[in-house]
Amino acid sequence: KEVARFFHSQLVSPVGQAGLDYLRRRGLSKQIITRFGLGFAPESWDSLLKAMAQKGYDKRDLLDAGLAVSNQKGAIYDRFRNRVMFPIIDLRGNVIGFGGRIMTDQKPKYLNTSDTMVFNKSQNLYALNFAKNAGEKRLILAEGYMDVIALHQAGFPTAVATLGTSLTTEQARLIARYAQEAVICYDSDGAGQKATARAIPMLREAGLLVRVLTVTGGKDPDEFIRSHGDQGPARFKQLLEASGNDVEYRLQKAANGLDLSQPDGKIAYLTACVSILA
């Protein structure tokens, strides 16, 4: 929590201007930035180490928390540098980890806290602490932090995301604890489609009704909402209400790459459909 406060204070100071500009360009309001506790990690090797030392934490504490790393020479330095920071909060409201987006073209674009004694990325979901209190029996499963925050800002407070990994069985069960229906809302690119195909059986096995929302125009939910201006939330709501169930989605995908005007294409499609329905 102290680290989250430090990162947030940096975001609203001159040091974090690049981070604040980025979040504003992405259309985030001051209120939503505060609500999600967004922050900025300065481009420095030890600003976090120094700030936490003043609070009585030593370097070992930060290493254990996945917030510092040591090199081969034994030097210890900040893990997150020059990144917009997304605190990961558990169901009890504790900050248990962070995701950070780099401000340059360096890879990886997103860096997450590695697993620690309090943080296991396969057993937590981003923003579930908010979504569980929304009073709906439907959770929207988005692909990343920005999509989730944009959806919450647009009036869809049940959006959650996995933490830089594919959906796990534990996460599917976690969703089933708080919802009866899961709407998969991944990017419409190849990777998003692959992740959708992987997530469907896991969510079904957890006892959930599964629907798939395909964002038109190859955009992610965040881009889609912003591209429609004031109409963005209403247009996304239409997509949400029109989303088909997972069987319809899979039947539709089975036709991809097949020529249905030819007998061979028809047979291949029907064979695929039979196995899906069975």
Side-chain angles (χ1 to χ4, degrees), residues 125-126 138-144 147-148 151 158-163 166-168 171-172 175 181-187 195-196 199-200 203 208 210-211 213 221 240:
L125 287 160
Y126 185 66
R138 172 173 73 189
L139 287 185
I140 301 168
L141 184 58
E143 210 163 315
D147 283 336
V148 167
L151 285 168
T158 61
V160 297
T162 55
L163 302 164
S166 304
L167 184 76
T168 64
Q171 287 166 333
I175 291 170
E181 181 178 81
V183 181
I184 302 173
C185 182
Y186 286 165
D187 294 358
T196 299
I200 288 169
L203 293 165
L208 287 149
V210 183
R211 284 163 60 193
L213 187 157
L240 188 60

PDB file of all heavy atoms in Angstrom, residues 125-126 138-144 147-148 151 158-163 166-168 171-172 175 181-187 195-196 199-200 203 208 210-211 213 221 240:
ATOM      1  N   LEU A 125      -7.588 -11.894 -10.077  1.00  0.00           N
ATOM      2  CA  LEU A 125      -8.078 -11.224 -11.281  1.00  0.00           C
ATOM      3  C   LEU A 125      -8.053  -9.721 -11.054  1.00  0.00           C
ATOM      4  O   LEU A 125      -8.435  -9.239  -9.984  1.00  0.00           O
ATOM      5  CB  LEU A 125      -9.506 -11.669 -11.601  1.00  0.00           C
ATOM      6  CG  LEU A 125      -9.654 -13.083 -12.166  1.00  0.00           C
ATOM      7  CD1 LEU A 125     -11.076 -13.570 -11.981  1.00  0.00           C
ATOM      8  CD2 LEU A 125      -9.274 -13.129 -13.644  1.00  0.00           C
ATOM      9  N   TYR A 126      -7.623  -8.986 -12.066  1.00  0.00           N
ATOM     10  CA  TYR A 126      -7.554  -7.534 -11.956  1.00  0.00           C
ATOM     11  C   TYR A 126      -8.964  -6.953 -11.876  1.00  0.00           C
ATOM     12  O   TYR A 126      -9.832  -7.287 -12.682  1.00  0.00           O
ATOM     13  CB  TYR A 126      -6.809  -6.951 -13.165  1.00  0.00           C
ATOM     14  CG  TYR A 126      -6.590  -5.468 -13.078  1.00  0.00           C
ATOM     15  CD1 TYR A 126      -5.755  -4.929 -12.107  1.00  0.00           C
ATOM     16  CD2 TYR A 126      -7.230  -4.590 -13.949  1.00  0.00           C
ATOM     17  CE1 TYR A 126      -5.547  -3.554 -12.002  1.00  0.00           C
ATOM     18  CE2 TYR A 126      -7.032  -3.215 -13.867  1.00  0.00           C
ATOM     19  CZ  TYR A 126      -6.190  -2.711 -12.881  1.00  0.00           C
ATOM     20  OH  TYR A 126      -5.995  -1.350 -12.780  1.00  0.00           O
ATOM     21  N   ARG A 138     -23.088 -11.209 -14.005  1.00  0.00           N
ATOM     22  CA  ARG A 138     -22.336 -11.391 -15.244  1.00  0.00           C
ATOM     23  C   ARG A 138     -21.009 -10.646 -15.146  1.00  0.00           C
ATOM     24  O   ARG A 138     -20.991  -9.461 -14.809  1.00  0.00           O
ATOM     25  CB  ARG A 138     -23.170 -10.843 -16.406  1.00  0.00           C
ATOM     26  CG  ARG A 138     -22.440 -10.784 -17.724  1.00  0.00           C
ATOM     27  CD  ARG A 138     -23.378 -10.384 -18.844  1.00  0.00           C
ATOM     28  NE  ARG A 138     -23.735  -8.977 -18.801  1.00  0.00           N
ATOM     29  CZ  ARG A 138     -24.676  -8.430 -19.571  1.00  0.00           C
ATOM     30  NH1 ARG A 138     -25.391  -9.171 -20.385  1.00  0.00           N
ATOM     31  NH2 ARG A 138     -24.944  -7.141 -19.484  1.00  0.00           N
ATOM     32  N   LEU A 139     -19.915 -11.337 -15.399  1.00  0.00           N
ATOM     33  CA  LEU A 139     -18.599 -10.680 -15.424  1.00  0.00           C
ATOM     34  C   LEU A 139     -18.104 -10.619 -16.866  1.00  0.00           C
ATOM     35  O   LEU A 139     -18.309 -11.559 -17.644  1.00  0.00           O
ATOM     36  CB  LEU A 139     -17.584 -11.441 -14.575  1.00  0.00           C
ATOM     37  CG  LEU A 139     -17.713 -11.358 -13.047  1.00  0.00           C
ATOM     38  CD1 LEU A 139     -16.554 -12.075 -12.369  1.00  0.00           C
ATOM     39  CD2 LEU A 139     -17.770  -9.922 -12.545  1.00  0.00           C
ATOM     40  N   ILE A 140     -17.481  -9.503 -17.199  1.00  0.00           N
ATOM     41  CA  ILE A 140     -16.881  -9.345 -18.538  1.00  0.00           C
ATOM     42  C   ILE A 140     -15.388  -9.615 -18.401  1.00  0.00           C
ATOM     43  O   ILE A 140     -14.703  -8.966 -17.605  1.00  0.00           O
ATOM     44  CB  ILE A 140     -17.101  -7.910 -19.080  1.00  0.00           C
ATOM     45  CG1 ILE A 140     -18.595  -7.582 -19.159  1.00  0.00           C
ATOM     46  CG2 ILE A 140     -16.434  -7.728 -20.429  1.00  0.00           C
ATOM     47  CD1 ILE A 140     -18.899  -6.110 -19.399  1.00  0.00           C
ATOM     48  N   LEU A 141     -14.884 -10.569 -19.159  1.00  0.00           N
ATOM     49  CA  LEU A 141     -13.462 -10.928 -19.083  1.00  0.00           C
ATOM     50  C   LEU A 141     -12.723 -10.240 -20.224  1.00  0.00           C
ATOM     51  O   LEU A 141     -12.853 -10.619 -21.385  1.00  0.00           O
ATOM     52  CB  LEU A 141     -13.315 -12.455 -19.176  1.00  0.00           C
ATOM     53  CG  LEU A 141     -11.912 -13.041 -19.033  1.00  0.00           C
ATOM     54  CD1 LEU A 141     -11.276 -12.651 -17.705  1.00  0.00           C
ATOM     55  CD2 LEU A 141     -11.954 -14.558 -19.162  1.00  0.00           C
ATOM     56  N   ALA A 142     -11.977  -9.185 -19.891  1.00  0.00           N
ATOM     57  CA  ALA A 142     -11.224  -8.426 -20.900  1.00  0.00           C
ATOM     58  C   ALA A 142      -9.762  -8.871 -20.899  1.00  0.00           C
ATOM     59  O   ALA A 142      -9.352  -9.688 -20.073  1.00  0.00           O
ATOM     60  CB  ALA A 142     -11.347  -6.937 -20.618  1.00  0.00           C
ATOM     61  N   GLU A 143      -8.980  -8.288 -21.819  1.00  0.00           N
ATOM     62  CA  GLU A 143      -7.620  -8.801 -22.001  1.00  0.00           C
ATOM     63  C   GLU A 143      -6.552  -8.107 -21.157  1.00  0.00           C
ATOM     64  O   GLU A 143      -5.554  -8.693 -20.823  1.00  0.00           O
ATOM     65  CB  GLU A 143      -7.248  -8.713 -23.487  1.00  0.00           C
ATOM     66  CG  GLU A 143      -6.272  -9.791 -23.905  1.00  0.00           C
ATOM     67  CD  GLU A 143      -6.207  -9.994 -25.401  1.00  0.00           C
ATOM     68  OE1 GLU A 143      -7.253 -10.042 -26.063  1.00  0.00           O
ATOM     69  OE2 GLU A 143      -5.090 -10.112 -25.916  1.00  0.00           O
ATOM     70  N   GLY A 144      -6.781  -6.837 -20.824  1.00  0.00           N
ATOM     71  CA  GLY A 144      -5.713  -6.146 -20.102  1.00  0.00           C
ATOM     72  C   GLY A 144      -6.227  -5.039 -19.198  1.00  0.00           C
ATOM     73  O   GLY A 144      -7.419  -4.733 -19.151  1.00  0.00           O
ATOM     74  N   ASP A 147      -8.160  -1.987 -20.896  1.00  0.00           N
ATOM     75  CA  ASP A 147      -9.520  -2.343 -21.326  1.00  0.00           C
ATOM     76  C   ASP A 147     -10.462  -2.354 -20.128  1.00  0.00           C
ATOM     77  O   ASP A 147     -11.575  -1.835 -20.182  1.00  0.00           O
ATOM     78  CB  ASP A 147      -9.542  -3.724 -21.993  1.00  0.00           C
ATOM     79  CG  ASP A 147      -8.998  -3.685 -23.413  1.00  0.00           C
ATOM     80  OD1 ASP A 147      -9.030  -2.601 -24.024  1.00  0.00           O
ATOM     81  OD2 ASP A 147      -8.540  -4.731 -23.906  1.00  0.00           O
ATOM     82  N   VAL A 148     -10.006  -2.958 -19.033  1.00  0.00           N
ATOM     83  CA  VAL A 148     -10.834  -3.047 -17.822  1.00  0.00           C
ATOM     84  C   VAL A 148     -11.167  -1.652 -17.304  1.00  0.00           C
ATOM     85  O   VAL A 148     -12.336  -1.333 -17.023  1.00  0.00           O
ATOM     86  CB  VAL A 148     -10.115  -3.872 -16.719  1.00  0.00           C
ATOM     87  CG1 VAL A 148     -10.808  -3.698 -15.372  1.00  0.00           C
ATOM     88  CG2 VAL A 148     -10.082  -5.342 -17.101  1.00  0.00           C
ATOM     89  N   LEU A 151     -13.603   0.167 -19.547  1.00  0.00           N
ATOM     90  CA  LEU A 151     -14.959  -0.383 -19.413  1.00  0.00           C
ATOM     91  C   LEU A 151     -15.623   0.107 -18.121  1.00  0.00           C
ATOM     92  O   LEU A 151     -16.795   0.488 -18.122  1.00  0.00           O
ATOM     93  CB  LEU A 151     -14.929  -1.913 -19.457  1.00  0.00           C
ATOM     94  CG  LEU A 151     -14.707  -2.515 -20.856  1.00  0.00           C
ATOM     95  CD1 LEU A 151     -14.391  -4.004 -20.766  1.00  0.00           C
ATOM     96  CD2 LEU A 151     -15.925  -2.302 -21.745  1.00  0.00           C
ATOM     97  N   THR A 158     -18.326  -4.521 -14.187  1.00  0.00           N
ATOM     98  CA  THR A 158     -18.065  -5.948 -13.913  1.00  0.00           C
ATOM     99  C   THR A 158     -16.905  -6.474 -14.760  1.00  0.00           C
ATOM    100  O   THR A 158     -16.712  -7.687 -14.848  1.00  0.00           O
ATOM    101  CB  THR A 158     -19.324  -6.808 -14.181  1.00  0.00           C
ATOM    102  OG1 THR A 158     -19.684  -6.688 -15.558  1.00  0.00           O
ATOM    103  CG2 THR A 158     -20.480  -6.380 -13.293  1.00  0.00           C
ATOM    104  N   ALA A 159     -16.150  -5.571 -15.394  1.00  0.00           N
ATOM    105  CA  ALA A 159     -15.013  -6.020 -16.214  1.00  0.00           C
ATOM    106  C   ALA A 159     -13.831  -6.415 -15.333  1.00  0.00           C
ATOM    107  O   ALA A 159     -13.513  -5.730 -14.362  1.00  0.00           O
ATOM    108  CB  ALA A 159     -14.593  -4.904 -17.169  1.00  0.00           C
ATOM    109  N   VAL A 160     -13.209  -7.542 -15.672  1.00  0.00           N
ATOM    110  CA  VAL A 160     -12.005  -8.022 -14.970  1.00  0.00           C
ATOM    111  C   VAL A 160     -11.008  -8.512 -16.018  1.00  0.00           C
ATOM    112  O   VAL A 160     -11.357  -8.660 -17.189  1.00  0.00           O
ATOM    113  CB  VAL A 160     -12.331  -9.189 -13.983  1.00  0.00           C
ATOM    114  CG1 VAL A 160     -13.258  -8.732 -12.881  1.00  0.00           C
ATOM    115  CG2 VAL A 160     -12.917 -10.399 -14.719  1.00  0.00           C
ATOM    116  N   ALA A 161      -9.767  -8.770 -15.600  1.00  0.00           N
ATOM    117  CA  ALA A 161      -8.765  -9.300 -16.534  1.00  0.00           C
ATOM    118  C   ALA A 161      -7.811 -10.215 -15.797  1.00  0.00           C
ATOM    119  O   ALA A 161      -7.610 -10.082 -14.589  1.00  0.00           O
ATOM    120  CB  ALA A 161      -7.985  -8.158 -17.189  1.00  0.00           C
ATOM    121  N   THR A 162      -7.211 -11.130 -16.565  1.00  0.00           N
ATOM    122  CA  THR A 162      -6.144 -11.961 -16.005  1.00  0.00           C
ATOM    123  C   THR A 162      -4.885 -11.093 -15.900  1.00  0.00           C
ATOM    124  O   THR A 162      -4.845  -9.993 -16.456  1.00  0.00           O
ATOM    125  CB  THR A 162      -5.871 -13.192 -16.888  1.00  0.00           C
ATOM    126  OG1 THR A 162      -5.585 -12.743 -18.220  1.00  0.00           O
ATOM    127  CG2 THR A 162      -7.077 -14.118 -16.925  1.00  0.00           C
ATOM    128  N   LEU A 163      -3.877 -11.586 -15.209  1.00  0.00           N
ATOM    129  CA  LEU A 163      -2.711 -10.742 -14.884  1.00  0.00           C
ATOM    130  C   LEU A 163      -1.494 -11.102 -15.729  1.00  0.00           C
ATOM    131  O   LEU A 163      -0.517 -11.656 -15.255  1.00  0.00           O
ATOM    132  CB  LEU A 163      -2.406 -10.868 -13.386  1.00  0.00           C
ATOM    133  CG  LEU A 163      -3.590 -10.457 -12.495  1.00  0.00           C
ATOM    134  CD1 LEU A 163      -3.416 -10.941 -11.078  1.00  0.00           C
ATOM    135  CD2 LEU A 163      -3.784  -8.946 -12.526  1.00  0.00           C
ATOM    136  N   SER A 166      -2.470 -16.383 -19.532  1.00  0.00           N
ATOM    137  CA  SER A 166      -3.739 -16.916 -20.031  1.00  0.00           C
ATOM    138  C   SER A 166      -4.626 -17.255 -18.837  1.00  0.00           C
ATOM    139  O   SER A 166      -4.135 -17.446 -17.728  1.00  0.00           O
ATOM    140  CB  SER A 166      -3.491 -18.197 -20.827  1.00  0.00           C
ATOM    141  OG  SER A 166      -2.570 -17.951 -21.856  1.00  0.00           O
ATOM    142  N   LEU A 167      -5.923 -17.387 -19.106  1.00  0.00           N
ATOM    143  CA  LEU A 167      -6.870 -17.758 -18.057  1.00  0.00           C
ATOM    144  C   LEU A 167      -6.486 -19.111 -17.458  1.00  0.00           C
ATOM    145  O   LEU A 167      -6.094 -20.026 -18.182  1.00  0.00           O
ATOM    146  CB  LEU A 167      -8.285 -17.835 -18.649  1.00  0.00           C
ATOM    147  CG  LEU A 167      -9.404 -18.118 -17.642  1.00  0.00           C
ATOM    148  CD1 LEU A 167      -9.723 -16.878 -16.828  1.00  0.00           C
ATOM    149  CD2 LEU A 167     -10.655 -18.615 -18.357  1.00  0.00           C
ATOM    150  N   THR A 168      -6.590 -19.219 -16.142  1.00  0.00           N
ATOM    151  CA  THR A 168      -6.278 -20.485 -15.465  1.00  0.00           C
ATOM    152  C   THR A 168      -7.560 -21.085 -14.878  1.00  0.00           C
ATOM    153  O   THR A 168      -8.561 -20.390 -14.735  1.00  0.00           O
ATOM    154  CB  THR A 168      -5.280 -20.270 -14.307  1.00  0.00           C
ATOM    155  OG1 THR A 168      -5.911 -19.433 -13.315  1.00  0.00           O
ATOM    156  CG2 THR A 168      -3.994 -19.617 -14.770  1.00  0.00           C
ATOM    157  N   GLN A 171      -8.722 -19.192 -11.859  1.00  0.00           N
ATOM    158  CA  GLN A 171      -9.393 -17.928 -12.166  1.00  0.00           C
ATOM    159  C   GLN A 171     -10.825 -18.171 -12.657  1.00  0.00           C
ATOM    160  O   GLN A 171     -11.735 -17.416 -12.313  1.00  0.00           O
ATOM    161  CB  GLN A 171      -8.596 -17.157 -13.222  1.00  0.00           C
ATOM    162  CG  GLN A 171      -7.317 -16.547 -12.649  1.00  0.00           C
ATOM    163  CD  GLN A 171      -6.365 -16.077 -13.729  1.00  0.00           C
ATOM    164  OE1 GLN A 171      -6.368 -16.598 -14.847  1.00  0.00           O
ATOM    165  NE2 GLN A 171      -5.531 -15.107 -13.406  1.00  0.00           N
ATOM    166  N   ALA A 172     -11.013 -19.244 -13.441  1.00  0.00           N
ATOM    167  CA  ALA A 172     -12.360 -19.580 -13.917  1.00  0.00           C
ATOM    168  C   ALA A 172     -13.265 -19.890 -12.721  1.00  0.00           C
ATOM    169  O   ALA A 172     -14.418 -19.450 -12.659  1.00  0.00           O
ATOM    170  CB  ALA A 172     -12.305 -20.765 -14.873  1.00  0.00           C
ATOM    171  N   ILE A 175     -14.214 -16.665 -10.956  1.00  0.00           N
ATOM    172  CA  ILE A 175     -15.299 -15.964 -11.663  1.00  0.00           C
ATOM    173  C   ILE A 175     -16.644 -16.605 -11.300  1.00  0.00           C
ATOM    174  O   ILE A 175     -17.626 -15.917 -11.027  1.00  0.00           O
ATOM    175  CB  ILE A 175     -15.063 -15.994 -13.200  1.00  0.00           C
ATOM    176  CG1 ILE A 175     -13.848 -15.118 -13.563  1.00  0.00           C
ATOM    177  CG2 ILE A 175     -16.300 -15.526 -13.965  1.00  0.00           C
ATOM    178  CD1 ILE A 175     -13.367 -15.252 -14.998  1.00  0.00           C
ATOM    179  N   GLU A 181     -22.572 -15.936 -15.309  1.00  0.00           N
ATOM    180  CA  GLU A 181     -22.279 -15.832 -16.737  1.00  0.00           C
ATOM    181  C   GLU A 181     -20.969 -15.078 -16.957  1.00  0.00           C
ATOM    182  O   GLU A 181     -20.699 -14.097 -16.266  1.00  0.00           O
ATOM    183  CB  GLU A 181     -23.433 -15.084 -17.421  1.00  0.00           C
ATOM    184  CG  GLU A 181     -23.282 -14.932 -18.910  1.00  0.00           C
ATOM    185  CD  GLU A 181     -24.476 -14.220 -19.520  1.00  0.00           C
ATOM    186  OE1 GLU A 181     -24.538 -12.975 -19.462  1.00  0.00           O
ATOM    187  OE2 GLU A 181     -25.366 -14.912 -20.043  1.00  0.00           O
ATOM    188  N   ALA A 182     -20.178 -15.561 -17.903  1.00  0.00           N
ATOM    189  CA  ALA A 182     -18.931 -14.870 -18.261  1.00  0.00           C
ATOM    190  C   ALA A 182     -19.007 -14.463 -19.726  1.00  0.00           C
ATOM    191  O   ALA A 182     -19.350 -15.277 -20.579  1.00  0.00           O
ATOM    192  CB  ALA A 182     -17.733 -15.786 -18.039  1.00  0.00           C
ATOM    193  N   VAL A 183     -18.696 -13.189 -19.990  1.00  0.00           N
ATOM    194  CA  VAL A 183     -18.653 -12.713 -21.375  1.00  0.00           C
ATOM    195  C   VAL A 183     -17.185 -12.495 -21.730  1.00  0.00           C
ATOM    196  O   VAL A 183     -16.519 -11.640 -21.137  1.00  0.00           O
ATOM    197  CB  VAL A 183     -19.441 -11.388 -21.546  1.00  0.00           C
ATOM    198  CG1 VAL A 183     -19.397 -10.926 -22.994  1.00  0.00           C
ATOM    199  CG2 VAL A 183     -20.878 -11.556 -21.085  1.00  0.00           C
ATOM    200  N   ILE A 184     -16.680 -13.284 -22.668  1.00  0.00           N
ATOM    201  CA  ILE A 184     -15.273 -13.132 -23.078  1.00  0.00           C
ATOM    202  C   ILE A 184     -15.192 -11.971 -24.060  1.00  0.00           C
ATOM    203  O   ILE A 184     -15.877 -11.960 -25.085  1.00  0.00           O
ATOM    204  CB  ILE A 184     -14.734 -14.420 -23.731  1.00  0.00           C
ATOM    205  CG1 ILE A 184     -14.861 -15.612 -22.770  1.00  0.00           C
ATOM    206  CG2 ILE A 184     -13.282 -14.245 -24.157  1.00  0.00           C
ATOM    207  CD1 ILE A 184     -14.516 -16.960 -23.400  1.00  0.00           C
ATOM    208  N   CYS A 185     -14.350 -11.003 -23.742  1.00  0.00           N
ATOM    209  CA  CYS A 185     -14.234  -9.807 -24.581  1.00  0.00           C
ATOM    210  C   CYS A 185     -12.759  -9.547 -24.872  1.00  0.00           C
ATOM    211  O   CYS A 185     -12.184  -8.570 -24.411  1.00  0.00           O
ATOM    212  CB  CYS A 185     -14.881  -8.642 -23.837  1.00  0.00           C
ATOM    213  SG  CYS A 185     -14.873  -7.130 -24.772  1.00  0.00           S
ATOM    214  N   TYR A 186     -12.149 -10.477 -25.607  1.00  0.00           N
ATOM    215  CA  TYR A 186     -10.730 -10.354 -25.947  1.00  0.00           C
ATOM    216  C   TYR A 186     -10.570  -9.617 -27.277  1.00  0.00           C
ATOM    217  O   TYR A 186     -11.532  -9.470 -28.036  1.00  0.00           O
ATOM    218  CB  TYR A 186     -10.091 -11.739 -26.049  1.00  0.00           C
ATOM    219  CG  TYR A 186      -9.859 -12.434 -24.712  1.00  0.00           C
ATOM    220  CD1 TYR A 186      -9.572 -13.800 -24.660  1.00  0.00           C
ATOM    221  CD2 TYR A 186      -9.923 -11.745 -23.507  1.00  0.00           C
ATOM    222  CE1 TYR A 186      -9.351 -14.451 -23.440  1.00  0.00           C
ATOM    223  CE2 TYR A 186      -9.706 -12.379 -22.294  1.00  0.00           C
ATOM    224  CZ  TYR A 186      -9.421 -13.733 -22.273  1.00  0.00           C
ATOM    225  OH  TYR A 186      -9.198 -14.365 -21.070  1.00  0.00           O
ATOM    226  N   ASP A 187      -9.334  -9.201 -27.570  1.00  0.00           N
ATOM    227  CA  ASP A 187      -9.057  -8.555 -28.857  1.00  0.00           C
ATOM    228  C   ASP A 187      -9.442  -9.513 -29.982  1.00  0.00           C
ATOM    229  O   ASP A 187      -9.375 -10.735 -29.817  1.00  0.00           O
ATOM    230  CB  ASP A 187      -7.563  -8.206 -28.975  1.00  0.00           C
ATOM    231  CG  ASP A 187      -7.143  -7.141 -27.965  1.00  0.00           C
ATOM    232  OD1 ASP A 187      -8.018  -6.657 -27.218  1.00  0.00           O
ATOM    233  OD2 ASP A 187      -5.950  -6.811 -27.908  1.00  0.00           O
ATOM    234  N   ALA A 195      -6.841 -17.217 -27.467  1.00  0.00           N
ATOM    235  CA  ALA A 195      -7.100 -17.129 -26.020  1.00  0.00           C
ATOM    236  C   ALA A 195      -8.580 -17.396 -25.721  1.00  0.00           C
ATOM    237  O   ALA A 195      -8.915 -18.027 -24.722  1.00  0.00           O
ATOM    238  CB  ALA A 195      -6.695 -15.745 -25.509  1.00  0.00           C
ATOM    239  N   THR A 196      -9.460 -16.925 -26.621  1.00  0.00           N
ATOM    240  CA  THR A 196     -10.903 -17.162 -26.451  1.00  0.00           C
ATOM    241  C   THR A 196     -11.199 -18.659 -26.522  1.00  0.00           C
ATOM    242  O   THR A 196     -11.909 -19.208 -25.671  1.00  0.00           O
ATOM    243  CB  THR A 196     -11.703 -16.406 -27.540  1.00  0.00           C
ATOM    244  OG1 THR A 196     -11.445 -15.009 -27.397  1.00  0.00           O
ATOM    245  CG2 THR A 196     -13.192 -16.658 -27.425  1.00  0.00           C
ATOM    246  N   ALA A 199     -10.169 -20.302 -23.373  1.00  0.00           N
ATOM    247  CA  ALA A 199     -10.919 -19.923 -22.166  1.00  0.00           C
ATOM    248  C   ALA A 199     -12.301 -20.574 -22.105  1.00  0.00           C
ATOM    249  O   ALA A 199     -12.793 -20.866 -21.018  1.00  0.00           O
ATOM    250  CB  ALA A 199     -11.058 -18.398 -22.103  1.00  0.00           C
ATOM    251  N   ILE A 200     -12.926 -20.801 -23.270  1.00  0.00           N
ATOM    252  CA  ILE A 200     -14.314 -21.301 -23.288  1.00  0.00           C
ATOM    253  C   ILE A 200     -14.481 -22.582 -22.471  1.00  0.00           C
ATOM    254  O   ILE A 200     -15.305 -22.623 -21.551  1.00  0.00           O
ATOM    255  CB  ILE A 200     -14.824 -21.467 -24.747  1.00  0.00           C
ATOM    256  CG1 ILE A 200     -15.062 -20.098 -25.376  1.00  0.00           C
ATOM    257  CG2 ILE A 200     -16.119 -22.289 -24.788  1.00  0.00           C
ATOM    258  CD1 ILE A 200     -15.314 -20.116 -26.880  1.00  0.00           C
ATOM    259  N   LEU A 203     -14.135 -22.034 -18.599  1.00  0.00           N
ATOM    260  CA  LEU A 203     -15.255 -21.323 -17.978  1.00  0.00           C
ATOM    261  C   LEU A 203     -16.488 -22.224 -17.907  1.00  0.00           C
ATOM    262  O   LEU A 203     -17.218 -22.220 -16.924  1.00  0.00           O
ATOM    263  CB  LEU A 203     -15.563 -20.042 -18.762  1.00  0.00           C
ATOM    264  CG  LEU A 203     -14.458 -18.971 -18.699  1.00  0.00           C
ATOM    265  CD1 LEU A 203     -14.664 -17.917 -19.780  1.00  0.00           C
ATOM    266  CD2 LEU A 203     -14.391 -18.304 -17.328  1.00  0.00           C
ATOM    267  N   LEU A 208     -20.093 -22.032 -15.645  1.00  0.00           N
ATOM    268  CA  LEU A 208     -20.586 -20.729 -16.094  1.00  0.00           C
ATOM    269  C   LEU A 208     -21.269 -20.807 -17.460  1.00  0.00           C
ATOM    270  O   LEU A 208     -20.883 -21.615 -18.306  1.00  0.00           O
ATOM    271  CB  LEU A 208     -19.410 -19.751 -16.206  1.00  0.00           C
ATOM    272  CG  LEU A 208     -18.834 -19.260 -14.883  1.00  0.00           C
ATOM    273  CD1 LEU A 208     -17.347 -18.980 -15.023  1.00  0.00           C
ATOM    274  CD2 LEU A 208     -19.557 -18.000 -14.418  1.00  0.00           C
ATOM    275  N   VAL A 210     -21.386 -19.163 -20.934  1.00  0.00           N
ATOM    276  CA  VAL A 210     -20.305 -18.422 -21.594  1.00  0.00           C
ATOM    277  C   VAL A 210     -20.826 -17.750 -22.855  1.00  0.00           C
ATOM    278  O   VAL A 210     -21.512 -18.362 -23.674  1.00  0.00           O
ATOM    279  CB  VAL A 210     -19.126 -19.365 -21.967  1.00  0.00           C
ATOM    280  CG1 VAL A 210     -17.980 -18.561 -22.579  1.00  0.00           C
ATOM    281  CG2 VAL A 210     -18.631 -20.123 -20.744  1.00  0.00           C
ATOM    282  N   ARG A 211     -20.523 -16.458 -22.973  1.00  0.00           N
ATOM    283  CA  ARG A 211     -20.834 -15.738 -24.207  1.00  0.00           C
ATOM    284  C   ARG A 211     -19.565 -15.098 -24.726  1.00  0.00           C
ATOM    285  O   ARG A 211     -18.621 -14.862 -23.969  1.00  0.00           O
ATOM    286  CB  ARG A 211     -21.912 -14.676 -23.949  1.00  0.00           C
ATOM    287  CG  ARG A 211     -23.302 -15.293 -23.823  1.00  0.00           C
ATOM    288  CD  ARG A 211     -24.280 -14.359 -23.191  1.00  0.00           C
ATOM    289  NE  ARG A 211     -24.442 -13.134 -23.951  1.00  0.00           N
ATOM    290  CZ  ARG A 211     -25.057 -12.055 -23.483  1.00  0.00           C
ATOM    291  NH1 ARG A 211     -25.542 -12.055 -22.264  1.00  0.00           N
ATOM    292  NH2 ARG A 211     -25.175 -10.985 -24.212  1.00  0.00           N
ATOM    293  N   LEU A 213     -18.117 -11.826 -26.914  1.00  0.00           N
ATOM    294  CA  LEU A 213     -18.394 -10.527 -27.515  1.00  0.00           C
ATOM    295  C   LEU A 213     -17.264 -10.223 -28.501  1.00  0.00           C
ATOM    296  O   LEU A 213     -16.100 -10.147 -28.108  1.00  0.00           O
ATOM    297  CB  LEU A 213     -18.456  -9.458 -26.415  1.00  0.00           C
ATOM    298  CG  LEU A 213     -18.888  -8.050 -26.818  1.00  0.00           C
ATOM    299  CD1 LEU A 213     -19.433  -7.316 -25.600  1.00  0.00           C
ATOM    300  CD2 LEU A 213     -17.742  -7.232 -27.408  1.00  0.00           C
ATOM    301  N   PRO A 221     -11.758  -3.279 -26.736  1.00  0.00           N
ATOM    302  CA  PRO A 221     -12.896  -2.536 -26.165  1.00  0.00           C
ATOM    303  C   PRO A 221     -12.589  -1.061 -25.893  1.00  0.00           C
ATOM    304  O   PRO A 221     -13.422  -0.188 -26.138  1.00  0.00           O
ATOM    305  CB  PRO A 221     -13.183  -3.280 -24.856  1.00  0.00           C
ATOM    306  CG  PRO A 221     -12.641  -4.649 -25.064  1.00  0.00           C
ATOM    307  CD  PRO A 221     -11.468  -4.501 -25.968  1.00  0.00           C
ATOM    308  N   LEU A 240     -22.695  -5.913 -26.310  1.00  0.00           N
ATOM    309  CA  LEU A 240     -22.788  -6.808 -25.157  1.00  0.00           C
ATOM    310  C   LEU A 240     -24.110  -7.582 -25.187  1.00  0.00           C
ATOM    311  O   LEU A 240     -24.132  -8.802 -24.991  1.00  0.00           O
ATOM    312  CB  LEU A 240     -22.681  -5.981 -23.864  1.00  0.00           C
ATOM    313  CG  LEU A 240     -22.565  -6.731 -22.542  1.00  0.00           C
ATOM    314  CD1 LEU A 240     -21.344  -7.622 -22.508  1.00  0.00           C
ATOM    315  CD2 LEU A 240     -22.496  -5.743 -21.374  1.00  0.00           C
TER     316      LEU A 240
END
